[in-house]
Amino acid sequence: MTEPTDMKALGSMVLTNLRIVAVSRLRQTTITTFDRPLMVAAGAGSGKTFTLTRRIAYGLLAGEEAPGGLQSIDEVLAITFTVKAAAELRDRIRALLREEGLAEESLKVDD
């Protein structure tokens, strides 16, 4: 991967790597917005877990380059309403971080 020359290039590279270029503009905005807190609420099967896992990975991959980007998974607080949903979210975050070359961060994901 070549070094990006600006934020737009960085965002484009990360979006492509995370396979989110084909999602809706609203979902892309949710995934890439880190300058303020967001709450993601939607119905069953609407893609909340997909969006949250990509948002976390994007924040870690963009790091200091993105306004409000993440330096560590320790900066993430993800809350769900059921133990089953929490386990699914945790497992998907771990898998995606490993897939994106962030194995060390994946080991920090708490139970």
Side-chain angles (χ1 to χ4, degrees):
M1 181 173 357
T2 60
E3 289 296 315
T5 56
D6 60 27
M7 270 307 296
K8 187 173 184 176
L10 172 74
S12 176
M13 288 168 51
V14 172
L15 290 174
T16 301
N17 289 348
L18 293 174
R19 297 182 308 278
I20 58 175
V21 291
V23 301
S24 72
R25 177 63 88 198
L26 177 60
R27 192 173 287 178
Q28 277 189 16
T29 300
T30 301
I31 291 168
T32 60
T33 299
F34 277 89
D35 59 347
R36 61 188 177 275
L38 292 178
M39 181 180 86
V40 176
S46 61
K48 293 178 300 295
T49 302
F50 173 89
T51 300
L52 290 171
T53 57
R54 281 0 187 230
R55 178 174 161 73
I56 291 165
Y58 179 88
L60 288 167
L61 289 167
E64 291 180 2
E65 300 296 323
L70 302 171
Q71 301 306 304
S72 170
I73 192 74
D74 295 330
E75 298 175 61
V76 174
L77 173 63
I79 300 171
T80 64
F81 289 103
T82 67
V83 172
K84 182 179 176 184
E88 180 68 21
L89 183 60
R90 179 190 62 237
D91 293 346
R92 286 203 210 173
I93 290 169
R94 285 180 178 156
L96 182 59
L97 294 180
R98 283 192 303 268
E99 183 180 313
E100 293 298 326
L102 298 169
E104 190 172 316
E105 290 297 317
S106 76
L107 295 173
K108 296 178 188 176
V109 176
D110 296 331
D111 287 335

